[in-house]
Amino acid sequence: AIAVEEFRNSLLAQKLAAELLKGVSVSQEEAAAAYEEFKDNFTTPFQWRVREIVVKTEEEAQAVLVELNQGASFADVARQKSVSPSASKGGDLGLMALENFEFEKMAQSVFILEPGQTSNYFKGPAGYYVVKVESKTGGEIQPYEKVKAAIEEELLAQKQQEVILKHLEKLETEIPNQINEKLLGISEETAETPQK
């Protein structure tokens, strides 16, 4: 019986929600205005093409930096000195987004480098790392047509949430008032009933 009652209440809630949200929609003008206002949020994600050199000791890392500063090819040094699986590819990790980097310090180091720049060495899970950013892509604002559907979906969800919240707030004020009125009515009746 409890399960049947819960199911019935669930159906009633769904029906009420459907009724409340029936007229809620997003116009083309609203979507276009939101795009213009938050245009900077609709950028393509950044990706970095990165090479790494991983060595076991700090002394080796210092020696690697000296070699690189003297003009040695990063790819060649990676092939000769790196203990990383990427060594055979000249340290090439391919194109990666920030969340794909092995650990946070590597992501932080890559983030502050411009294409062509090499980091200082830093400690990581496999030893001491030196990274070089070969290229960086992304950051362009996506055209409206590409993000229009996502904007409309987000705006619709916001509007629907507002309608439901307003309805709940209305219920919160009405129900206590109704209860108070009933209680007042009962107490008045009680007061009018003559005492035996």
Side-chain angles (χ1 to χ4, degrees):
I2 294 170
V4 171
E5 187 64 24
E6 282 178 1
F7 179 67
R8 184 175 167 277
N9 289 340
S10 170
L11 285 178
L12 287 171
Q14 285 175 22
K15 191 176 177 187
L16 174 63
E19 282 294 315
L20 287 171
L21 302 176
K22 200 160 46 180
V24 180
S25 63
V26 175
S27 71
Q28 297 298 305
E29 292 76 19
E30 286 173 313
Y35 174 77
E36 288 303 322
E37 188 177 349
F38 302 106
K39 203 180 259 187
D40 290 345
N41 295 346
F42 302 111
T43 54
T44 55
F46 283 109
Q47 287 190 308
W48 288 261
R49 181 80 183 251
V50 176
R51 291 183 188 273
E52 68 174 356
I53 296 170
V54 185
V55 290
K56 289 295 182 189
T57 68
E58 193 170 359
E59 291 74 21
E60 287 175 291
Q62 288 170 345
V64 160
L65 279 182
V66 169
E67 268 189 79
L68 293 171
N69 288 335
Q70 289 174 347
S73 156
F74 195 100
D76 289 345
V77 174
R79 282 189 196 94
Q80 294 159 15
K81 305 269 174 79
S82 184
V83 295
S84 167
S86 65
S88 61
K89 296 180 285 183
D92 190 2
L93 297 173
L95 207 56
M96 299 173 77
L98 273 187
E99 62 270 18
N100 300 133
F101 286 101
E102 191 182 348
F103 56 103
E104 193 177 344
K105 181 64 181 168
M106 181 183 266
Q108 289 170 352
S109 298
V110 167
F111 186 76
I112 61 171
L113 295 173
E114 291 300 323
Q117 289 185 329
T118 299
S119 72
N120 203 338
Y121 65 84
F122 52 91
K123 196 158 180 14
Y128 290 84
Y129 291 67
V130 177
V131 292
K132 179 182 181 182
V133 172
E134 293 287 357
S135 64
K136 177 182 174 183
T137 59
E140 302 88 17
I141 293 172
Q142 297 180 71
Y144 174 63
E145 286 306 317
K146 197 167 182 183
V147 294
K148 180 181 158 193
I151 293 171
E152 288 173 351
E153 199 175 301
E154 178 66 25
L155 288 177
L156 184 62
Q158 285 175 13
K159 280 187 166 189
Q160 289 174 336
Q161 189 177 16
E162 282 170 23
V163 167
I164 298 288
L165 287 173
K166 276 182 186 168
H167 183 73
L168 290 173
E169 284 168 13
K170 188 179 169 194
L171 287 178
E172 279 177 7
T173 55
E174 283 178 2
I175 290 170
N177 287 341
Q178 288 170 7
I179 291 169
N180 288 337
E181 281 169 19
K182 281 184 182 174
L183 288 172
L184 283 169
I186 292 165
S187 59
E188 282 169 13
E189 284 171 25
T190 310
E192 288 167 14
T193 307
Q195 298 292 320
K196 290 186 179 177

